[in-house]
Amino acid sequence: MKHLLPLFFVFVVHTTLFPQGTNYDYNRIKIGEAQNIVSGLALSPDTETLAISSIQSFPLYLFDWKNQNVSETLNVGNWYAGSSINYSAKGTYILLNQLYYIDFAPNRDREVNFEIVDVKTGKSVKRFEAVHSVKITPDEKYILALSGDEVGFWNITTQNKEKSFTVSEAGNSIAISPDGKLIAVSHRLYETDARKIPLLQRDKKTTKNALKYKQQISVFDASTFKKLYTINELYDIIYKLNFSEDGQLLFCLHIPHTKIQNNSAVRQMYVNVIDMITHEPKRRGFTSIAFYEPDFKLSHDGKLFGIISKSNQFLELHIYDLESGKMLYRFQQSYRLFEKNEGGMIASDSRSSFVFLPDNESVLMTMGNHLIQWNYKPKE
Amino acid sequence: MKKILIIVLAISFGFPGFSQEEMSTVWSKDMGIKITFSGTGLEVNDYSYVADAKQMAVFSNKDGSIYWNKTFQEIAPNLKKIDELVPFWKSNVIFLFDRKIGKDQIACIDLTNGKLLWSTDKYQNITEEMIVYIEEDDGFAISLKKELVYIKALTGEEVWSTTKFQGVVGKYIYNKDDQTMTMVNFVPNGIVAFFTGLKNQIVRINMKNGEVIWENTYIGRADRKIITKDFIYDLELDGDKVILRLAGIQVYDYNTGATLWSAAFDYTPEGIVKPPPNVTRWGVYGTVADPVVVGDDIYILDMTDKRHQFVKKYDYHTGKLLWTSKEVKGARAIPGMTVVDDVVLLQIGGMVEIQYTQKIETQYYTIYYSVVGYRNVKPNGVQAFNASDGSLLWESEKFKKGITNGITVGGNHIVCSGKSLYSINIKNGEDNYEVPVSKGGVGLAELILPYDDDIVVVVGEKGLSTFKAKDGSFIKNAIYKSSTMSGQIGDIVLMKTDKDDIAAFDLSTMTYKKYDARKGAETWLEREDAKYVYVYEKKTVTKLSTK
């Protein structure tokens, strides 16, 4: 029996991570001595450094992903459930967006905390409490913060609000185009606009439901704050707006109100694409059934679109061809219950973040307190 | 008076001159076996069989000559009698089951010569439902309690087994190019206890080695109808999408198995049709129309709530809800939905299929009857919605005498209320015409069929009649007796009475040929070109010509 006991532990403890399916080319990367689940990933604009945030108030890591070394740890963004992170356009700042485990009011406007960190000094530049959305302008001069109906321009050096404009019934999201000329803001459907939409002319109930559950995106001139146009499409509750690097596309993550979900078993979320040249919404989109607002990104060559989703049990990363909308690759973060290894717990907390690597052939994604490098393009 | 009598006699005796012909007998043969099991093979293959519990005979479709006749013990010494017999026509093999608790025998025989190909007692407690013939690969997928075993049909060689697939193979899609199969699992009603802790699986499997390429789950109960065993759901491949039409729609990526989106509604047609007394098993089918895909859009009926029903339009690629229609008020069943010229047409109420087993118990005996039939679910009518925004375009008046399916001819919706044939302008709901189907003289309409470009065939209670789709003018009829449609192959429509008499109607001539069979006779309309009907009565097999 004594002989069998160590053998049992070997089997139980020394299990390996295995994604479901076959022919996955991947490896696991430890982040120094990190013990906590990592929650956010962002790749610096020069693609050299990976910023990694984690849960339970542990530091933000700056990670040399090529040599797999933690280069710095920053004591910022101390939020229990972690944060999602983004680099500013030139890589001078990192924007941290507080995350929660549970969204107790999934249909209400989300108000969370944000923090901007100077990468060089490792110091917090500015914190925002209970605002909807924060973005850094491409010239890194201003922080845009959507609070209530107001979009404020905060000087990043003086930390003073210098200008602002109001968007009536603004929602949760703002985005600024890479050339800094346009600002997209999500907002509730206005009654005056609803009257002009043929789809809503059917009856009072349809209009009432649309006013209750649907949102739109309006685009403003970033210098004059004049509303330029409203995208001719109704969206569900919009949680994230992101421009593509070339500014030609605007990605919109929206989640239906719980009363109008397709089915009760899963919560479906959609990322729809808007052509910013024609201002027309593209018909094709991408769906996720992740537990939380899913991370989504474009590959460096702009050809692939990745989004976190899940299957019945495990988190997944889906990679699509952006143009055709065809799914090309799927990675399922499968693991055994109570699975551990020498580095500690690897099970995730039902959230994951990822970045495309500059080779356009692989991604780094979070799983528990590790990273997974998945080479999605099969080697010849 | 004499004149009247002569006229009456002339009428009485004269009609047989105009009556329809009997089907001509190609051959009729006493097979020497009281027919308990029968199977009609393809005309091109030329093999069919009859059997009882102890012996079977295989005969030629061409002339009825017997190729071979053997007892099962002669075929395989281990087989004393058989309990089930499952033919697989394309590979010319038959599975035989001899059930004895703990000693089940399975034998596979060559249909052409009666020779034993292989037999085994390795697989115990297997029922017919647990074996699925994969025609495209000439193999059998056998579902055991803990694994799925795949064996070659001709040799019985076990090619692979996997524990990653539980339950019985349901509908599947076979890909010949890479020899992979995408399939859903299910547990047949009678053997629920056999598979415990089963989860709903949809998997794509490499048929060369049993490797699971991907696996996912689905929502709902993928079942078969209780009597005919037809699947009550659909699985199909559309480009890179695997479409599972079960409890709404569930869409998967074919290459990776990822869930793309779903619109699943929990719906059970309870209380729509009341079962007769002493029913032991009961099923109602066809109460909700299948989703309809038009370009980038898909239209799905949401019948979750018994009092409120809606049509919902989704983006076919992402599942994003585009609109929800105005409420379809009062519909208890919506068996038909079509989308034509930007109009969504709904058939409200109408015939739904019922299947049940009824227990008749007397002082002396207990009998179980299996019944397959149809019942009209009221209210009946047609509603049309604008496909652009889901608004109600028009609504027909309530059809008091039932409703048939609808067909579209030249931009008009043609439907029968039972008593009248209507052509309705799809755009505004106005009647182009209303003509009484009594002109056809075949009783109330049960079904309508399109024929050629401008003909509507009304399948009535007592035969068939035809009308011009354009103006509703009556063309021709062929009056038979009370019967229901039993099948259609090409131009041939087979009608069958409660007493198992049959008539084969030729739509090209609107004539029929009939055959008065014995009560309890099994009939089989040949599937390739419907030229023949096989009738199995007691010990006799009769091949009839429908032409």
Side-chain angles (χ1 to χ4, degrees), chain B residues 21 29 34 65 71 74 91 201 296 303 313 330 335 362 377 379 387 423 445 448 499 503 539 542:
Chain B
E21 289 175 40
K29 187 121 185 167
K34 191 180 175 192
S65 59
T71 65
E74 279 178 79
S91 58
Q201 286 177 293
D296 291 330
M303 303 274 288
K313 180 179 176 179
T362 71
V377 175
S423 169
I448 58 174
K499 293 180 178 174
K539 292 183 178 180
T542 305

Side-chain angles (χ1 to χ4, degrees), chain B residues 35 40 64 86 94 100 105 142 150 158 202 223 233 248 251 254 270 292 299 323 423 437 447 473 518 529 531:
Chain B
I35 301 168
T40 315
V86 187
I94 286 191
K100 289 168 239 168
Q105 288 283 336
I142 302 178
Y150 188 64
E158 197 171 297
I202 176 166
D223 211 345
Y233 62 96
V251 186
Y254 179 60
E270 265 174 40
V292 177
Y299 301 84
W323 54 248
S423 169
V437 288
L447 185 79
S473 57
R518 290 171 191 270
D529 48 17
K531 279 184 183 170

